[in-house]
Amino acid sequence: MAAPHDGPWLDDAAGRLVRPYTVSNGRTRPTTQLDLLSQVMATGSTPFGHLGPEHSAALGLCGTPTSVAEVAAQLKLPAVVAKVILSDLLDSGALTTKAPDFYHNPTDRSLLEAVLDGLRRQL
């Protein structure tokens, strides 16, 4: 991998200069089960081992509880790559996770009607 002083990982004209799976060393399976709605948060502990720039960026996004989907979006990485990075940070003790709480049945008619009503108001 390039050193931080070798230039940006993203280029406005060319896009991503490093393939996403290079970031995760070709790994496609996280060591920890993470849902896109799982919340991750920094513990304040110093992670052990090597951290790449994406690991540091992900850790910086997790000062408050943040969903896995939000981290992936902010890093502009596929969700599976973000999950691998986050699981590395979880394994090193730098992050903690909380499974998503499902208070509502996603097929609950009243919930779906409220969402539809909110969408209609936006139009």
Side-chain angles (χ1 to χ4, degrees), residues 104-119:
H104 302 286
N105 177 356
T107 59
D108 178 24
R109 184 175 178 94
S110 63
L111 174 63
L112 294 174
E113 287 174 353
V115 170
L116 182 60
D117 183 51
L119 290 172

Side-chain angles (χ1 to χ4, degrees), residues 2-116:
H5 62 278
D6 286 343
W9 291 85
L10 294 170
D11 180 86
D12 290 336
R16 181 169 277 284
L17 300 176
V18 175
R19 293 276 187 206
Y21 292 97
T22 303
V23 171
S24 63
N25 294 324
R27 294 174 295 144
T28 58
R29 294 181 191 255
T31 56
T32 304
Q33 278 294 100
L34 292 170
D35 187 277
L36 287 176
L37 299 176
S38 295
Q39 299 286 308
V40 288
M41 185 172 168
T43 61
S45 298
T46 303
F48 54 85
H50 172 72
L51 281 182
E54 282 80 8
H55 288 84
S56 297
L59 191 56
L61 294 170
C62 299
T64 59
T66 307
S67 72
V68 171
E70 181 65 22
V71 172
Q74 291 292 324
L75 294 178
K76 297 180 181 167
L77 289 172
V80 69
V81 175
K83 287 179 181 182
V84 170
I85 290 170
L86 292 171
S87 71
D88 290 347
L89 291 167
L90 285 161
D91 292 345
S92 74
L95 288 181
T96 186
T97 185
K98 180 181 172 206
D101 292 327
F102 294 106
Y103 297 115
H104 302 286
N105 177 356
T107 59
D108 178 24
R109 184 175 178 94
S110 63
L111 174 63
L112 294 174
E113 287 174 353
V115 170
L116 182 60

